[in-house]
Amino acid sequence: WPATLCVVTGASRGFGRALSRLLATRLGPGSAMLLLARSEAPLTQLAEELRDGGAALRVRAVVADLGCESGVSRAGDALREMLREAVPDRLLLVNNAGSLGDISKSFIDLTNLEEVNKYYAFNITSALCLTSIALKAFGKRPGSTRTVVNVSSLCALKPFKNWALYCSGKAARNMMFQVLALDEPDVRVLNYAPGPLDTDMQLLARTETGDQEMRQLFQSLHENGQLIDCTVSAQKLVNLLEENTFSSGAHVDFFSL
């Protein structure tokens, strides 16, 4: 790949961690990675691992809670600083950070405005603002390319009981990035649904979902070995990015590949 500034949110664990490892091996000379997450220890450990990987790759890990203004500002400052150090040919931003919300609650239990706003600030607003900051900071230059990935879900398209926050958040993000594809035709935009991954989030889904039927569905996926290894799904995303034949703004599911 050409010299790239690659930004991955939610990089400390699960899909973001697996994807960061794969991307680091693809990035050409002069590339840099900005890893963002809330958990300092695993994020720092990943950054050290990637630096020691042999590639001449600048790696910066920034601990930031993207659900608050200071976290988004810290991420934006780090991104601009990395661009001042060297101007790459490509920007690749992966909006992976996300949370389930309180899935023990059904729709009518969601009465706390602060709880709901906090959820949407982290899962929707931060992805919008960070993407806009990154695209503006990188700018438009002849010969350069900009690619934005939204890690989506089947839940963006299909309602799941007890998952009002998660489903609506994923649906909003899908639509938001479809609009980006229209507003900025020179930006490549992809909504990628990675499938049911074997992660801490899946553990929460099968133990804390309020609806018993839903909980049993997730338990059976786990018991029958139907959860997807993060690296397997991340590799499909890397392949999609390398082929680069997707329609900008498209929603592409792991199972369709």
Side-chain angles (χ1 to χ4, degrees), residues 65-242:
D65 180 356
L66 297 177
C68 61
E69 198 170 334
S70 61
V72 174
S73 294
R74 194 176 307 129
D77 289 344
L79 190 148
R80 284 186 285 264
E81 198 174 301
M82 293 182 87
L83 286 171
R84 280 196 295 272
E85 290 165 9
V87 181
D89 300 315
R90 184 184 191 192
L91 172 69
L92 172 59
L93 169 60
V94 182
N95 288 288
N96 168 66
S99 62
L100 272 179
D102 189 345
I103 51 174
S104 70
K105 293 178 177 177
S106 70
F107 188 102
I108 60 170
D109 297 322
L110 294 167
T111 55
N112 186 312
L113 193 70
E114 187 181 353
E115 177 190 0
V116 173
N117 283 342
K118 191 175 178 184
Y119 181 84
Y120 288 143
F122 177 56
N123 287 278
I124 304 172
T125 311
S126 72
L128 170 59
C129 293
L130 185 63
T131 301
S132 301
I133 288 167
L135 291 174
K136 275 191 170 179
F138 191 83
K140 296 183 184 183
R141 294 189 311 278
S144 69
T145 58
R146 299 179 292 172
T147 302
V148 174
V149 177
N150 169 41
V151 177
S152 186
S153 170
L154 174 63
C155 296
L157 310 177
K158 181 182 174 184
F160 281 45
K161 284 182 184 175
N162 276 99
W163 286 30
L165 291 177
Y166 189 78
C167 290
S168 59
K170 286 296 186 185
R173 272 170 63 148
N174 251 38
M175 182 54 72
M176 194 165 79
F177 286 106
Q178 287 179 55
V179 173
L180 171 62
L182 292 179
D183 278 358
E184 301 289 336
D186 63 322
V187 176
R188 301 284 287 140
V189 183
L190 174 64
N191 289 301
Y192 175 68
L197 300 172
D198 192 3
T199 60
D200 293 344
M201 198 180 270
Q202 267 294 328
L203 175 61
L204 286 176
R206 62 181 180 267
T207 55
E208 295 191 11
T209 299
D211 182 76
Q212 188 181 358
E213 192 183 330
M214 282 288 292
R215 209 164 52 243
Q216 286 173 340
L217 168 69
F218 291 118
Q219 283 167 359
S220 69
L221 285 175
H222 178 247
E223 288 160 9
N224 298 329
Q226 291 174 293
L227 295 178
I228 299 160
D229 181 86
C230 287
T231 302
V232 171
S233 185
Q235 184 61 62
K236 281 202 175 183
L237 173 54
V238 171
N239 294 346
L240 267 174
L241 293 171
E242 287 188 333

